[in-house]
Amino acid sequence: MNTLVLDPTQDPDQDLQMTNQPREVVGTHFLYRIDNDGLCWMTFDSPNSTVNVWSTESLTELASHLEHLSHETALRGFIFRSAKERIFIAGADLKSMRNLPSSGLQKLVWLGQATFDRLARLPVPKVALIRGACAGGGYELTLACDYRIAIEDDCTRIGLPETQLGLLPGWGGCTRLPRLIGTRRALDVILKGRLMDARNALRQGLVTHLVPAGHAEDTARKLLKQPVPSAPHHWDRSPLVTPFLRWAARRKVEGATRSLYEAPLRAIDVVTAAASHSVEFGLQLERDALNHLLMGSQAQHLIDLFFQREAASKHRPAIGVAMPVHNAAVVGAGVMGAGIAQALAARGLSVLMTDVAPEALAHGIERVRDLTDTAVRKHAIDRKTARDTLDRVSTSCTPVPLTHKQIVIEAATENMALKKKIFADLAARSAADTILATNTSALSVAELAATVPHPERVIGMHFFNPVHRMPLVEIVRLPETSPDVLATAIAFVQKLGKVPVVVQDSPGFVVNRILMPYLLEAVRLVEEGVPVERTDNAMLDFGMPMGPLRLLDEIGIDVANHVYHTLREAFSDRLPALKTLDTLLAAGHLGKKSGQGFYLHTKAETKAKVFSATANPLDADSIQLRLSLVLSNEAALCLHEGIASSAGDIDLAMVLGTGYAPFRGGPLQHLDSIGRDYARSELHRLAHSMPAPNPFTPAP
Ligand code: NAD
């Protein structure tokens, strides 16, 4: 076999005249071999990396190989594969893209399209062998092939997640996917932006075949010997149909996002126009739209959050050794305890769930079962996995030894005296190195640690409700928490598939600390006569998933009041005393659970209540400014006080813990977007116009 090292200075026609011998060409990111049958096996293997991504370099190199191959007269077929174990192609190299000037980004958009177009035009049948993550530009490469063979493996995940990052598939995805699966289904895949497993990808038509690893190459060889079937006909690519699909899709997205997100709307326009026009026209639309989105702030913020999340999900502290955790206990089988127990069991841990009340324990286990059944119904897990999950949960109403548990998570009623008693009891029944974690929302973790011998094993682990859906866990570290315990807690949370953010032990930690002044300010607006609906709508238009007053009803006025009092002890100079909360509590109007709070909740409807005979005319912009500044100012104070170690951590915690408008990047990013000087002057203005105490004194 001849081996050739690719040298761009050499004349391709001279080097690569077809011989009958198999040959191998070794580049930087790719190597390929042309076998005796004239089949080219192109392997993507970026150097010194566990992943393959598209960068200017890797795309340029592939384009050059394809140019050479287009002169190979005896070429019979082309197979594209990856040498990486768990990655086919992860997509575009977002990290290097962040440093490109706008001209560089435009060039990259063009280069991706041109390279994949060159592949599409290679006049032989082409197959992509997909194993591992095949996302975004990775999948768009396969769309330029005639066959997509997915290899059965848990790590195979396929899809186009661009709209989740404020972008759209601009390397042929918007244009070629409707040709493959039809316009309606292409819109669905692109707008959801989810990666799917191989089986689902086959069901959706994203791949043409699904085979075990050992059969992939044979399947490819067989397919390459057959004539390529003609492209499927999809009635919904007709120009008579696409305007209706566009209208319906826009209506749905505008309703769900209040038209706040640009990328999905642009994607709808491009997909529906590209579906009924030429590929060239579609690619032009993709380029224009993608270049526009790449220049906007939404994509930048969403990509920043993506990196922050990735970093938190993989974070390893500099010191401390993470111990593997297999065996855990959860104390308290209420809403949180049951949710945590289910999350642990679903990830393969044995869990003992305890409670003092037998009926609470029965409810708790019922809830674990419900959550597991729902996962089966949604095809997230199969029945055997569900059975195994349930088998891993045991229960007890009486004190049992906990010496073999590596971690115990306390999720009992929010009451310091009770939790202290529980901690003292846990210390007596566990081993000296059993990690004792508390799920408290706002109580002092240090006070709990003071009740046990070996306080270095105490840590806060603040999960959010509902546990199965909320990805964030605040890890509360004390000065005395040992590095090994911290490292173990972080790795443990990551093993659960959740995102850990390390915070200091301060009332409300990060999320509740920042959220509470915002909720109180919304209540103050009610007291000033601003209609409930206007306040909530203003914040929905800001991008929050739920208005603050509706959120208070969901949390429960009693629960919120409890957190408020804990915080008020520490921050009485900023948190106002508001009579509306007391009035609601006294009337038993606890929010949704009692049928009313700021809203009336009936089976038929949820209707805002009227709290003032004359409506304050304060407009939506002023409401947004006032409430968003409370969030940003409190976030800045948390950063100043070192409650979290970086602005990125605080922004990530607020987005994952409260749904803070992701396209704004988080409350601290928002401060930069509107300008710190402007924010400071507005905060001063509000601080002086409002009765004290108020939360508007600007953070240093
Ligand atoms: P819950 O009232 O639903 O459940 C608390 C459970 O603790 C009850 O079943 C109760 O019987 C049990 N319990 C009381 N004393 C006990 C003891 N000595 N030993 C064992 N069990 C005991 O409360 P929840 O909403 O699940 O909250 C639990 C903890 O999680 C609290 O600290 C709360 O602040 C925190 N938290 C709650 C939420 C939320 O939204 N509900 C979110 C984050 C954190």
Side-chain angles (χ1 to χ4, degrees), residues 489-510:
I490 290 172
F492 170 77
V493 166
Q494 289 166 338
K495 184 176 171 181
L496 299 181
K498 309 249 175 236
V499 182
V501 169
V502 178
V503 299
Q504 301 298 327
D505 184 29
S506 165
F509 315 123
V510 165

PDB file of all heavy atoms in Angstrom, residues 489-510:
ATOM      1  N   ALA A 489     -19.322  15.646  46.464  1.00  0.00           N
ATOM      2  CA  ALA A 489     -20.661  16.210  46.246  1.00  0.00           C
ATOM      3  C   ALA A 489     -20.815  16.695  44.806  1.00  0.00           C
ATOM      4  O   ALA A 489     -21.843  16.464  44.163  1.00  0.00           O
ATOM      5  CB  ALA A 489     -20.907  17.362  47.222  1.00  0.00           C
ATOM      6  N   ILE A 490     -19.782  17.332  44.284  1.00  0.00           N
ATOM      7  CA  ILE A 490     -19.845  17.835  42.907  1.00  0.00           C
ATOM      8  C   ILE A 490     -19.989  16.665  41.927  1.00  0.00           C
ATOM      9  O   ILE A 490     -20.869  16.651  41.058  1.00  0.00           O
ATOM     10  CB  ILE A 490     -18.586  18.679  42.582  1.00  0.00           C
ATOM     11  CG1 ILE A 490     -18.634  19.995  43.357  1.00  0.00           C
ATOM     12  CG2 ILE A 490     -18.475  18.948  41.081  1.00  0.00           C
ATOM     13  CD1 ILE A 490     -17.362  20.823  43.261  1.00  0.00           C
ATOM     14  N   ALA A 491     -19.144  15.650  42.105  1.00  0.00           N
ATOM     15  CA  ALA A 491     -19.186  14.501  41.189  1.00  0.00           C
ATOM     16  C   ALA A 491     -20.519  13.754  41.310  1.00  0.00           C
ATOM     17  O   ALA A 491     -21.076  13.280  40.321  1.00  0.00           O
ATOM     18  CB  ALA A 491     -18.021  13.560  41.488  1.00  0.00           C
ATOM     19  N   PHE A 492     -21.028  13.697  42.530  1.00  0.00           N
ATOM     20  CA  PHE A 492     -22.311  13.022  42.791  1.00  0.00           C
ATOM     21  C   PHE A 492     -23.449  13.727  42.035  1.00  0.00           C
ATOM     22  O   PHE A 492     -24.253  13.096  41.347  1.00  0.00           O
ATOM     23  CB  PHE A 492     -22.545  13.042  44.304  1.00  0.00           C
ATOM     24  CG  PHE A 492     -23.902  12.605  44.747  1.00  0.00           C
ATOM     25  CD1 PHE A 492     -24.246  11.256  44.773  1.00  0.00           C
ATOM     26  CD2 PHE A 492     -24.837  13.532  45.179  1.00  0.00           C
ATOM     27  CE1 PHE A 492     -25.498  10.856  45.210  1.00  0.00           C
ATOM     28  CE2 PHE A 492     -26.093  13.145  45.612  1.00  0.00           C
ATOM     29  CZ  PHE A 492     -26.424  11.796  45.622  1.00  0.00           C
ATOM     30  N   VAL A 493     -23.484  15.047  42.129  1.00  0.00           N
ATOM     31  CA  VAL A 493     -24.522  15.827  41.433  1.00  0.00           C
ATOM     32  C   VAL A 493     -24.376  15.654  39.915  1.00  0.00           C
ATOM     33  O   VAL A 493     -25.362  15.504  39.187  1.00  0.00           O
ATOM     34  CB  VAL A 493     -24.439  17.312  41.862  1.00  0.00           C
ATOM     35  CG1 VAL A 493     -25.255  18.204  40.940  1.00  0.00           C
ATOM     36  CG2 VAL A 493     -24.922  17.466  43.300  1.00  0.00           C
ATOM     37  N   GLN A 494     -23.140  15.654  39.447  1.00  0.00           N
ATOM     38  CA  GLN A 494     -22.908  15.456  38.009  1.00  0.00           C
ATOM     39  C   GLN A 494     -23.379  14.070  37.582  1.00  0.00           C
ATOM     40  O   GLN A 494     -23.956  13.906  36.515  1.00  0.00           O
ATOM     41  CB  GLN A 494     -21.419  15.645  37.685  1.00  0.00           C
ATOM     42  CG  GLN A 494     -20.988  17.109  37.792  1.00  0.00           C
ATOM     43  CD  GLN A 494     -19.484  17.297  37.822  1.00  0.00           C
ATOM     44  OE1 GLN A 494     -18.748  16.372  38.172  1.00  0.00           O
ATOM     45  NE2 GLN A 494     -19.029  18.493  37.492  1.00  0.00           N
ATOM     46  N   LYS A 495     -23.155  13.073  38.446  1.00  0.00           N
ATOM     47  CA  LYS A 495     -23.584  11.708  38.117  1.00  0.00           C
ATOM     48  C   LYS A 495     -25.113  11.646  37.973  1.00  0.00           C
ATOM     49  O   LYS A 495     -25.647  10.843  37.212  1.00  0.00           O
ATOM     50  CB  LYS A 495     -23.103  10.754  39.209  1.00  0.00           C
ATOM     51  CG  LYS A 495     -23.421   9.305  38.917  1.00  0.00           C
ATOM     52  CD  LYS A 495     -22.853   8.376  39.962  1.00  0.00           C
ATOM     53  CE  LYS A 495     -23.382   6.967  39.763  1.00  0.00           C
ATOM     54  NZ  LYS A 495     -22.886   6.026  40.748  1.00  0.00           N
ATOM     55  N   LEU A 496     -25.811  12.513  38.716  1.00  0.00           N
ATOM     56  CA  LEU A 496     -27.269  12.542  38.607  1.00  0.00           C
ATOM     57  C   LEU A 496     -27.724  13.240  37.327  1.00  0.00           C
ATOM     58  O   LEU A 496     -28.918  13.368  37.064  1.00  0.00           O
ATOM     59  CB  LEU A 496     -27.877  13.280  39.807  1.00  0.00           C
ATOM     60  CG  LEU A 496     -27.622  12.690  41.187  1.00  0.00           C
ATOM     61  CD1 LEU A 496     -28.321  13.530  42.256  1.00  0.00           C
ATOM     62  CD2 LEU A 496     -28.102  11.245  41.257  1.00  0.00           C
ATOM     63  N   GLY A 497     -26.752  13.734  36.550  1.00  0.00           N
ATOM     64  CA  GLY A 497     -27.106  14.438  35.315  1.00  0.00           C
ATOM     65  C   GLY A 497     -27.509  15.874  35.587  1.00  0.00           C
ATOM     66  O   GLY A 497     -28.136  16.530  34.758  1.00  0.00           O
ATOM     67  N   LYS A 498     -27.175  16.377  36.779  1.00  0.00           N
ATOM     68  CA  LYS A 498     -27.541  17.746  37.137  1.00  0.00           C
ATOM     69  C   LYS A 498     -26.306  18.643  37.084  1.00  0.00           C
ATOM     70  O   LYS A 498     -25.177  18.172  36.981  1.00  0.00           O
ATOM     71  CB  LYS A 498     -28.141  17.781  38.545  1.00  0.00           C
ATOM     72  CG  LYS A 498     -29.259  16.780  38.755  1.00  0.00           C
ATOM     73  CD  LYS A 498     -30.586  17.472  38.901  1.00  0.00           C
ATOM     74  CE  LYS A 498     -31.746  16.527  39.001  1.00  0.00           C
ATOM     75  NZ  LYS A 498     -32.760  16.771  37.978  1.00  0.00           N
ATOM     76  N   VAL A 499     -26.566  19.944  37.174  1.00  0.00           N
ATOM     77  CA  VAL A 499     -25.490  20.921  37.052  1.00  0.00           C
ATOM     78  C   VAL A 499     -25.193  21.519  38.431  1.00  0.00           C
ATOM     79  O   VAL A 499     -26.052  22.187  39.012  1.00  0.00           O
ATOM     80  CB  VAL A 499     -25.903  22.059  36.085  1.00  0.00           C
ATOM     81  CG1 VAL A 499     -24.770  23.050  35.912  1.00  0.00           C
ATOM     82  CG2 VAL A 499     -26.354  21.488  34.756  1.00  0.00           C
ATOM     83  N   PRO A 500     -23.997  21.264  38.981  1.00  0.00           N
ATOM     84  CA  PRO A 500     -23.684  21.827  40.299  1.00  0.00           C
ATOM     85  C   PRO A 500     -23.123  23.246  40.190  1.00  0.00           C
ATOM     86  O   PRO A 500     -22.311  23.525  39.308  1.00  0.00           O
ATOM     87  CB  PRO A 500     -22.595  20.878  40.822  1.00  0.00           C
ATOM     88  CG  PRO A 500     -21.926  20.349  39.588  1.00  0.00           C
ATOM     89  CD  PRO A 500     -22.920  20.400  38.458  1.00  0.00           C
ATOM     90  N   VAL A 501     -23.596  24.130  41.070  1.00  0.00           N
ATOM     91  CA  VAL A 501     -22.965  25.448  41.196  1.00  0.00           C
ATOM     92  C   VAL A 501     -22.603  25.602  42.672  1.00  0.00           C
ATOM     93  O   VAL A 501     -23.470  25.470  43.548  1.00  0.00           O
ATOM     94  CB  VAL A 501     -23.913  26.579  40.738  1.00  0.00           C
ATOM     95  CG1 VAL A 501     -23.351  27.945  41.119  1.00  0.00           C
ATOM     96  CG2 VAL A 501     -24.120  26.520  39.220  1.00  0.00           C
ATOM     97  N   VAL A 502     -21.324  25.833  42.936  1.00  0.00           N
ATOM     98  CA  VAL A 502     -20.860  25.905  44.322  1.00  0.00           C
ATOM     99  C   VAL A 502     -21.108  27.315  44.865  1.00  0.00           C
ATOM    100  O   VAL A 502     -20.764  28.302  44.217  1.00  0.00           O
ATOM    101  CB  VAL A 502     -19.356  25.547  44.418  1.00  0.00           C
ATOM    102  CG1 VAL A 502     -18.867  25.679  45.859  1.00  0.00           C
ATOM    103  CG2 VAL A 502     -19.122  24.130  43.896  1.00  0.00           C
ATOM    104  N   VAL A 503     -21.753  27.378  46.035  1.00  0.00           N
ATOM    105  CA  VAL A 503     -22.073  28.677  46.638  1.00  0.00           C
ATOM    106  C   VAL A 503     -21.659  28.686  48.108  1.00  0.00           C
ATOM    107  O   VAL A 503     -21.409  27.637  48.700  1.00  0.00           O
ATOM    108  CB  VAL A 503     -23.592  28.979  46.519  1.00  0.00           C
ATOM    109  CG1 VAL A 503     -24.024  29.038  45.067  1.00  0.00           C
ATOM    110  CG2 VAL A 503     -24.427  27.935  47.262  1.00  0.00           C
ATOM    111  N   GLN A 504     -21.600  29.886  48.669  1.00  0.00           N
ATOM    112  CA  GLN A 504     -21.264  30.011  50.088  1.00  0.00           C
ATOM    113  C   GLN A 504     -22.530  29.922  50.932  1.00  0.00           C
ATOM    114  O   GLN A 504     -23.635  30.138  50.443  1.00  0.00           O
ATOM    115  CB  GLN A 504     -20.569  31.349  50.346  1.00  0.00           C
ATOM    116  CG  GLN A 504     -19.285  31.555  49.567  1.00  0.00           C
ATOM    117  CD  GLN A 504     -18.218  30.533  49.921  1.00  0.00           C
ATOM    118  OE1 GLN A 504     -18.129  30.082  51.057  1.00  0.00           O
ATOM    119  NE2 GLN A 504     -17.420  30.156  48.932  1.00  0.00           N
ATOM    120  N   ASP A 505     -22.337  29.634  52.218  1.00  0.00           N
ATOM    121  CA  ASP A 505     -23.460  29.506  53.138  1.00  0.00           C
ATOM    122  C   ASP A 505     -23.941  30.895  53.539  1.00  0.00           C
ATOM    123  O   ASP A 505     -23.426  31.499  54.471  1.00  0.00           O
ATOM    124  CB  ASP A 505     -22.985  28.721  54.374  1.00  0.00           C
ATOM    125  CG  ASP A 505     -24.120  28.455  55.338  1.00  0.00           C
ATOM    126  OD1 ASP A 505     -25.274  28.358  54.880  1.00  0.00           O
ATOM    127  OD2 ASP A 505     -23.844  28.338  56.552  1.00  0.00           O
ATOM    128  N   SER A 506     -24.910  31.394  52.818  1.00  0.00           N
ATOM    129  CA  SER A 506     -25.450  32.726  53.087  1.00  0.00           C
ATOM    130  C   SER A 506     -26.951  32.616  52.882  1.00  0.00           C
ATOM    131  O   SER A 506     -27.392  31.843  52.017  1.00  0.00           O
ATOM    132  CB  SER A 506     -24.806  33.701  52.097  1.00  0.00           C
ATOM    133  OG  SER A 506     -25.521  34.900  52.070  1.00  0.00           O
ATOM    134  N   PRO A 507     -27.776  33.343  53.663  1.00  0.00           N
ATOM    135  CA  PRO A 507     -29.227  33.123  53.596  1.00  0.00           C
ATOM    136  C   PRO A 507     -29.775  33.161  52.163  1.00  0.00           C
ATOM    137  O   PRO A 507     -29.540  34.106  51.430  1.00  0.00           O
ATOM    138  CB  PRO A 507     -29.784  34.286  54.421  1.00  0.00           C
ATOM    139  CG  PRO A 507     -28.687  34.595  55.392  1.00  0.00           C
ATOM    140  CD  PRO A 507     -27.398  34.360  54.641  1.00  0.00           C
ATOM    141  N   GLY A 508     -30.470  32.081  51.788  1.00  0.00           N
ATOM    142  CA  GLY A 508     -31.052  31.984  50.443  1.00  0.00           C
ATOM    143  C   GLY A 508     -30.051  31.569  49.379  1.00  0.00           C
ATOM    144  O   GLY A 508     -30.412  31.449  48.211  1.00  0.00           O
ATOM    145  N   PHE A 509     -28.779  31.381  49.797  1.00  0.00           N
ATOM    146  CA  PHE A 509     -27.698  31.030  48.853  1.00  0.00           C
ATOM    147  C   PHE A 509     -27.734  32.007  47.678  1.00  0.00           C
ATOM    148  O   PHE A 509     -27.796  33.206  47.912  1.00  0.00           O
ATOM    149  CB  PHE A 509     -27.792  29.558  48.449  1.00  0.00           C
ATOM    150  CG  PHE A 509     -28.044  28.663  49.625  1.00  0.00           C
ATOM    151  CD1 PHE A 509     -29.137  27.809  49.685  1.00  0.00           C
ATOM    152  CD2 PHE A 509     -27.206  28.734  50.736  1.00  0.00           C
ATOM    153  CE1 PHE A 509     -29.378  27.034  50.802  1.00  0.00           C
ATOM    154  CE2 PHE A 509     -27.431  27.951  51.857  1.00  0.00           C
ATOM    155  CZ  PHE A 509     -28.531  27.107  51.879  1.00  0.00           C
ATOM    156  N   VAL A 510     -27.747  31.524  46.432  1.00  0.00           N
ATOM    157  CA  VAL A 510     -27.775  32.468  45.313  1.00  0.00           C
ATOM    158  C   VAL A 510     -29.204  32.656  44.783  1.00  0.00           C
ATOM    159  O   VAL A 510     -29.722  33.763  44.705  1.00  0.00           O
ATOM    160  CB  VAL A 510     -26.840  32.011  44.174  1.00  0.00           C
ATOM    161  CG1 VAL A 510     -27.149  32.768  42.882  1.00  0.00           C
ATOM    162  CG2 VAL A 510     -25.383  32.264  44.554  1.00  0.00           C
TER     163      VAL A 510
END
